[in-house]
Amino acid sequence: MDSTSRQETKMARRKRLGDLLVERGLITPTQLAKALVLHKSNGKPLGQTLVDMGLLDSPTLCSILGELLGTPVVNLDATFGDPLIRDVIPKEKAFELKVIPLFLVGNQLTIAVHDPCNLAKLGELRFLTGKEILPVLALEGDIERHLGLYYGEQEDTGSQDAAIDFENTGEDDTEEEGIATTLDVEDAQQDRPVIRLVNLIITRAIQERASDIHLEPQEGKMQVRYRIDGSLQPKPYALTDAAVPAVISRVKILSQIDIAEKRLPQDGKIRIRYRGRRIDVRVSTFPTIHGEKVVLRLLDKERQNFTLDTLDMSETILESWKRVLRHHQGIVLVTGPTGSGKSSTLYATLRHLHRSDVNIVTLEDPVEYELPGVAQGQVQPTVGFDFAKGLRSILRQDPDIILVGEIRDQETAHIAVQAAQTGHLVLASLHTNDALSAITRLLDMGLPRYLLAATLVGVLAQRLVRRICPKCAHAVEPTDDERLYLGPWIERQQLPFLVGRGCETCMDIGYKGRIGIHELVRVGPEIRRLIAQGAPEATIEATARETGYRRLWWDGLEKVRARLTSLREVARQAQPDQAVLDEDPTSETTRSATPEMDDALLPHAP
């Protein structure tokens, strides 16, 4: 660094925080004056006051403070320290000094502090640990928030927020009252570093709304990734070579999987209590050349209380879907690829249909969420209890409504259609790319055309697209790839091209949460006639358009126009072909309609 650069750095350090923020254009003098008044009254640091006022985000404030103090900055939400070195600073002392040990390389210990210029504190840490201390700057509030995650809450607070209870939940677990073994991680982690590490990985995943945790052994290391809003996000955990097999074994023990078997895939379950919420974890292992890959699916029992009105369906599709559900018999399908939200839609549909005078029985693989008042069954292929056999048994349970988790084969399809023909409303999921393909798929399974035409009531296809983070959404120009892909069509639409910059709220992803896009085919007399006659799919689609059908693409565009998602997300999920792009979205064939149909109303319909 030359003399001019050194002088500029010294001048920057002599500047006060507020002056530097105004100089950089991050706040106005008026905003600074208001913040100073509030800062003097509440006693909080000026920087924290600006964050509380919404004038600055934490990463920006931390970066500016690091520049003023000449200290490296760490974002504790994105940088995970090594929990195996946690005990280098006792818990009580870490809370007292408000510090978090992050990494130990040789004799150099990296520690997150909020006051890196406090020489007395650094000297105490050096004496306490016997290590050379490398301080890195983090905001005081962030350190306080993460201390409980690394160490557990202080004993005198009485809080159990950071604790997770693991219950053994094997397939043959009787789950009798008082029998299940519970491990209190808050106690166990005091003397087992691997337990602390697994606890941290799962806790972080829950806090970041992850649906899956991927533990992927690679040569000499393990990669940890969370699936958040449908996208896998790598997480920088510091896992040593020795920790990898120990972490895998710990997860297998919790899920009651044979830890000695490493050549075959295995499945297990873990039940967790976190902050008063029950979370079920489905564990799957798969042998790879570098060891066993483990995937944990997190199922939050108390946060998935979906209803039809909270599924982000457009008003037209929602009303049409409710009309479909008024039939007292027939088969209703929800289609889409894995991870498209079919189960959530089916559970919300059952909640809509449930009443005290209606007998609802389900057959699932597995039961993901429990519905009060609904008899839920789970297939057990290992003992010969598959969908076909279970469906036959359900018909002897006097059901009004039957949910079949998935139609996978010809036998299940035949039994489901026969049940629909004999006075039952059958709900089921099917893996197809769109609604109309479900007709072709069932015919390929060997269903007679006349039988399918007589029983099919409606087909809903759906995808999940990521919701733009409202805190960092901003307008952009279409990329060259988007212009090449969509051609002059985008010029006619006058759509808002929005994306998220990435911020603290969305963990720098630009998206937070997901919403659904849907297409619905209601099967009326004309479509039944075409199915029975063996009409091609294009002919059936043309007729469906006259009764309000429109493709996923157009429903996605409504979400784009509402500034809920981006065109990039909709194009990634709906993938319009040229025929769709040539359509006029304002024409009668692409506008939704709700024509009168031969609805047979359910006597017990809500």
Side-chain angles (χ1 to χ4, degrees):
M1 181 182 294
D2 57 29
S3 59
T4 302
S5 299
R6 291 193 188 97
Q7 188 172 0
E8 289 176 351
T9 301
K10 290 179 180 178
M11 290 178 62
R13 291 180 185 176
R14 284 199 296 267
K15 289 182 181 177
R16 293 183 299 178
L17 173 63
D19 295 335
L20 185 58
L21 292 173
V22 172
E23 181 183 303
R24 298 279 176 88
L26 296 172
I27 60 174
T28 65
T30 302
Q31 291 171 334
L32 174 60
K34 291 180 180 179
L36 286 171
V37 172
L38 188 59
H39 152 65
K40 292 178 181 179
S41 64
N42 63 20
K44 291 184 179 180
L46 175 61
Q48 187 61 52
T49 301
L50 290 166
V51 172
D52 293 343
M53 294 174 65
L55 301 177
L56 276 182
D57 57 41
S58 294
T60 301
L61 172 62
C62 206
S63 176
I64 294 294
L65 289 174
E67 181 179 341
L68 284 171
L69 300 173
T71 305
V73 174
V74 62
N75 180 358
L76 294 177
D77 288 322
T79 301
F80 303 154
D82 185 354
L84 301 183
I85 67 163
R86 187 201 66 171
D87 292 338
V88 70
I89 299 178
K91 175 179 178 179
E92 295 76 12
K93 186 59 74 172
F95 274 93
E96 176 189 338
L97 299 178
K98 296 182 181 179
V99 297
I100 295 178
L102 297 177
F103 310 107
L104 179 61
V105 180
N107 195 49
Q108 186 180 70
L109 179 64
T110 301
I111 298 182
V113 298
H114 67 90
D115 50 354
C117 296
N118 188 332
L119 299 180
K121 177 186 288 188
L122 298 181
E124 183 177 356
L125 289 171
R126 189 178 301 110
F127 175 78
L128 181 68
T129 63
K131 309 292 183 185
E132 178 186 350
I133 303 300
L134 175 63
V136 293
L137 176 66
L139 295 182
E140 183 176 0
D142 289 347
I143 291 177
E144 291 175 344
R145 181 161 51 89
H146 285 80
L147 273 170
L149 184 60
Y150 276 88
Y151 286 92
E153 297 296 335
Q154 286 179 290
E155 293 179 2
D156 58 356
T157 65
S159 172
Q160 295 298 320
D161 282 355
I164 298 181
D165 286 341
F166 295 96
E167 299 179 5
N168 292 337
T169 56
E171 289 296 332
D172 55 352
D173 190 354
T174 60
E175 296 188 355
E176 294 179 2
E177 188 70 26
I179 299 258
T181 301
T182 301
L183 297 177
D184 187 343
V185 177
E186 190 68 16
D187 295 332
Q189 65 183 359
Q190 302 302 321
D191 49 21
R192 290 294 302 276
V194 172
I195 293 177
R196 296 200 304 267
L197 180 54
V198 173
N199 182 32
L200 178 62
I201 291 173
I202 296 177
T203 303
R204 287 273 192 176
I206 295 171
Q207 292 179 341
E208 296 186 19
R209 304 175 297 104
S211 61
D212 301 86
I213 304 172
H214 289 241
L215 307 178
E216 303 166 323
Q218 300 176 353
E219 188 172 3
K221 63 178 182 178
M222 172 185 284
Q223 178 173 259
V224 180
R225 295 191 290 175
Y226 295 164
R227 186 174 295 279
I228 303 173
D229 295 333
S231 178
L232 280 174
Q233 308 290 333
K235 298 298 175 181
Y237 283 99
L239 300 184
T240 62
D241 294 349
V244 173
V247 168
I248 299 298
S249 295
R250 170 63 178 167
V251 174
K252 292 173 73 173
I253 290 172
L254 284 173
S255 53
Q256 294 192 333
I257 292 176
D258 184 1
I259 63 173
E261 180 56 71
K262 301 179 181 180
R263 300 166 300 172
L264 297 174
Q266 298 185 79
D267 296 311
K269 297 179 182 178
I270 307 173
R271 182 167 297 164
I272 291 175
R273 287 284 178 181
Y274 174 75
R275 295 188 175 183
R277 305 203 314 263
R278 172 183 162 184
I279 299 174
D280 284 354
V281 183
R282 284 161 36 196
V283 180
S284 173
T285 70
F286 182 80
T288 70
I289 59 175
H290 295 301
E292 290 179 283
K293 172 182 167 71
V294 179
V295 175
L296 297 86
R297 167 67 58 88
L298 306 179
L299 302 171
D300 193 334
K301 298 290 185 179
E302 298 180 15
R303 295 185 63 183
Q304 305 296 337
N305 294 322
F306 298 110
T307 65
L308 289 182
D309 295 324
T310 61
L311 289 182
D312 300 300
M313 287 187 185
S314 66
E315 292 183 8
T316 302
I317 292 180
L318 177 58
E319 180 59 31
S320 294
W321 182 241
K322 289 180 179 179
R323 288 167 64 89
V324 167
L325 299 177
R326 291 177 187 152
H327 287 73
H328 62 78
Q329 67 180 42
I331 186 165
V332 178
L333 299 174
V334 178
T335 73
T338 300
S340 59
K342 299 187 298 297
S343 296
S344 299
T345 298
L346 286 170
Y347 283 132
T349 299
L350 289 184
R351 286 191 178 96
H352 175 75
L353 293 172
H354 175 61
R355 286 180 59 173
S356 60
D357 59 343
V358 178
N359 181 22
I360 302 177
V361 185
T362 76
L363 187 62
E364 308 170 56
D365 183 22
V367 174
E368 295 190 3
Y369 303 108
E370 296 180 10
L371 300 174
V374 176
Q376 295 177 264
Q378 179 169 310
V379 298
Q380 301 286 349
T382 56
V383 296
F385 185 58
D386 55 16
F387 277 110
K389 188 171 183 179
L391 195 48
R392 290 192 187 94
S393 300
I394 286 177
L395 294 176
R396 297 191 288 271
Q397 292 290 311
D398 186 31
D400 296 300
I401 300 172
I402 301 171
L403 170 66
V404 182
E406 183 181 347
I407 295 179
R408 297 177 178 175
D409 52 48
Q410 180 180 17
E411 186 178 11
T412 304
H414 272 277
I415 300 173
V417 170
Q418 289 170 3
Q421 195 178 26
T422 55
H424 304 90
L425 182 64
V426 179
L427 308 176
S429 69
L430 195 66
H431 283 99
T432 62
N433 289 328
D434 54 49
L436 289 168
S437 297
I439 298 173
T440 304
R441 175 80 174 115
L442 291 174
L443 292 175
D444 288 343
M445 286 184 177
L447 286 180
R449 290 185 178 276
Y450 75 89
L451 194 57
L452 179 59
T455 56
L456 188 61
V457 174
V459 185
L460 179 74
Q462 66 179 64
R463 298 288 191 281
L464 292 177
V465 295
R466 292 182 292 177
R467 186 190 295 266
I468 297 175
C469 175
K471 293 290 187 180
C472 61
H474 70 292
V476 297
E477 290 296 320
T479 64
D480 292 339
D481 288 341
E482 287 170 336
R483 292 185 182 278
L484 180 64
Y485 181 49
L486 300 174
W489 179 86
I490 59 173
E491 307 297 340
R492 304 197 308 265
Q493 300 303 307
Q494 298 181 344
L495 292 171
F497 275 76
L498 298 180
V499 296
R501 286 191 179 92
C503 64
E504 184 180 18
T505 300
C506 61
M507 297 178 293
D508 293 322
I509 298 174
Y511 296 92
K512 185 174 183 180
R514 289 189 289 177
I515 58 176
I517 57 176
H518 308 84
E519 66 179 34
L520 174 63
V521 173
R522 295 179 61 195
V523 181
E526 187 60 26
I527 292 181
R528 289 197 182 97
R529 182 182 63 81
L530 293 175
I531 294 175
Q533 292 177 351
E537 189 174 306
T539 303
I540 298 176
E541 180 177 353
T543 302
R545 288 175 185 276
E546 297 174 1
T547 60
Y549 166 75
R550 60 179 183 174
R551 297 192 186 184
L552 282 167
W553 175 251
W554 297 116
D555 189 51
L557 291 190
E558 282 193 4
K559 304 298 195 299
V560 174
R561 289 191 178 96
R563 299 176 178 265
L564 296 175
T565 188
S566 66
L567 187 63
R568 299 173 187 177
E569 275 292 292
V570 175
R572 182 173 66 91
Q573 293 290 349
Q575 299 178 347
D577 55 27
Q578 192 58 46
V580 173
L581 298 180
D582 289 341
E583 293 174 359
D584 180 1
T586 63
S587 70
E588 292 297 327
T589 58
T590 55
R591 269 190 302 200
S592 296
T594 54
E596 292 298 323
M597 299 179 65
D598 60 334
D599 290 336
L601 296 182
L602 260 172
H604 48 259

